[in-house]
Amino acid sequence: MNPIQKAIDAVGGRTVAASLLGISYVAVRKMAEKGALPRTDYTGETNYAHILAENSKGEVSEAWLLDKANPKHLAA
């Protein structure tokens, strides 16, 4: 399972994740399909990793999510 999907499942699904992150269900689906956080999470424009980790009931950490869902891993 990709790290984004693991975090989404941990918070209760795509609808819950979309609500927590303040983005659309479709945006969450696309993020899950890519298996990566957006670039904006690494430039400080968004804090999706923090929000997902905070609401995951301890299943994922922010540091783990930032590492495993880094879009740079997809390019490698």
CSV table of all heavy atoms in Angstrom, one decimal, residues 9-10 16 24 37 39 42 52 54 58 61 68 73:
chain,number,residue,atom,x,y,z
A,9,ASP,N,-6.5,5.9,4.8
A,9,ASP,CA,-7.2,4.9,5.5
A,9,ASP,C,-7.2,5.1,7.0
A,9,ASP,O,-8.2,4.9,7.7
A,9,ASP,CB,-6.6,3.5,5.2
A,9,ASP,CG,-6.9,3.1,3.7
A,9,ASP,OD1,-7.8,3.7,3.1
A,9,ASP,OD2,-6.3,2.1,3.3
A,10,ALA,N,-6.0,5.6,7.5
A,10,ALA,CA,-5.9,5.8,9.0
A,10,ALA,C,-6.8,6.9,9.5
A,10,ALA,O,-7.2,6.8,10.7
A,10,ALA,CB,-4.4,6.1,9.3
A,16,VAL,N,-13.2,11.9,4.6
A,16,VAL,CA,-12.7,12.5,5.9
A,16,VAL,C,-11.4,13.2,5.6
A,16,VAL,O,-11.2,14.3,6.1
A,16,VAL,CB,-12.5,11.4,6.9
A,16,VAL,CG1,-11.8,12.0,8.2
A,16,VAL,CG2,-13.8,10.7,7.3
A,24,SER,N,-10.7,19.0,-2.2
A,24,SER,CA,-11.8,18.1,-2.7
A,24,SER,C,-11.4,16.7,-2.6
A,24,SER,O,-10.3,16.3,-2.5
A,24,SER,CB,-12.0,18.5,-4.2
A,24,SER,OG,-11.0,18.1,-5.0
A,37,LEU,N,2.9,13.2,-1.7
A,37,LEU,CA,2.4,14.5,-1.2
A,37,LEU,C,2.7,15.5,-2.3
A,37,LEU,O,3.6,15.3,-3.1
A,37,LEU,CB,3.1,14.9,0.1
A,37,LEU,CG,2.7,14.1,1.3
A,37,LEU,CD1,3.8,14.3,2.4
A,37,LEU,CD2,1.3,14.5,1.8
A,39,ARG,N,4.2,18.9,-3.9
A,39,ARG,CA,5.4,19.7,-3.7
A,39,ARG,C,5.2,20.8,-2.6
A,39,ARG,O,6.1,21.0,-1.8
A,39,ARG,CB,5.8,20.4,-5.0
A,39,ARG,CG,7.0,21.4,-4.9
A,39,ARG,CD,7.0,22.4,-6.0
A,39,ARG,NE,5.8,23.1,-6.3
A,39,ARG,CZ,5.3,24.1,-5.6
A,39,ARG,NH1,6.0,24.6,-4.6
A,39,ARG,NH2,4.2,24.7,-5.9
A,42,TYR,N,6.4,20.3,0.9
A,42,TYR,CA,7.9,20.4,1.2
A,42,TYR,C,8.4,21.8,1.1
A,42,TYR,O,9.5,22.1,1.5
A,42,TYR,CB,8.6,19.5,0.1
A,42,TYR,CG,8.2,18.1,0.3
A,42,TYR,CD1,7.2,17.5,-0.3
A,42,TYR,CD2,8.9,17.3,1.3
A,42,TYR,CE1,6.8,16.2,-0.1
A,42,TYR,CE2,8.5,16.0,1.5
A,42,TYR,CZ,7.5,15.5,0.8
A,42,TYR,OH,7.1,14.2,1.0
A,52,LEU,N,-2.6,14.9,8.4
A,52,LEU,CA,-2.9,13.4,8.3
A,52,LEU,C,-2.3,12.7,9.4
A,52,LEU,O,-3.0,11.8,10.0
A,52,LEU,CB,-2.4,12.9,6.9
A,52,LEU,CG,-3.2,13.4,5.7
A,52,LEU,CD1,-2.4,12.9,4.4
A,52,LEU,CD2,-4.6,12.9,5.7
A,54,GLU,N,-1.5,13.8,12.4
A,54,GLU,CA,-2.2,14.2,13.7
A,54,GLU,C,-3.5,13.5,13.8
A,54,GLU,O,-3.9,13.3,15.0
A,54,GLU,CB,-2.4,15.7,13.6
A,54,GLU,CG,-2.8,16.3,14.9
A,54,GLU,CD,-2.8,17.8,14.8
A,54,GLU,OE1,-3.6,18.4,14.1
A,54,GLU,OE2,-1.9,18.4,15.5
A,58,GLY,N,-2.1,7.6,15.5
A,58,GLY,CA,-0.8,7.0,15.7
A,58,GLY,C,-0.3,6.0,14.6
A,58,GLY,O,0.7,5.4,14.7
A,61,SER,N,3.4,8.7,11.1
A,61,SER,CA,3.9,9.9,11.7
A,61,SER,C,4.2,10.9,10.5
A,61,SER,O,4.3,10.5,9.4
A,61,SER,CB,5.3,9.6,12.4
A,61,SER,OG,6.3,9.3,11.4
A,68,LYS,N,8.4,8.9,3.0
A,68,LYS,CA,7.9,7.9,2.1
A,68,LYS,C,7.0,8.4,1.0
A,68,LYS,O,6.9,7.8,0.0
A,68,LYS,CB,7.1,6.8,2.9
A,68,LYS,CG,7.9,6.1,4.0
A,68,LYS,CD,9.0,5.4,3.4
A,68,LYS,CE,9.8,4.6,4.5
A,68,LYS,NZ,11.1,4.1,4.0
A,73,HIS,N,10.9,10.5,-4.8
A,73,HIS,CA,11.0,9.0,-4.8
A,73,HIS,C,10.4,8.5,-6.1
A,73,HIS,O,10.9,7.5,-6.6
A,73,HIS,CB,10.4,8.4,-3.6
A,73,HIS,CG,11.1,8.6,-2.3
A,73,HIS,ND1,12.1,7.8,-1.8
A,73,HIS,CD2,10.9,9.6,-1.4
A,73,HIS,CE1,12.5,8.3,-0.7
A,73,HIS,NE2,11.8,9.4,-0.4
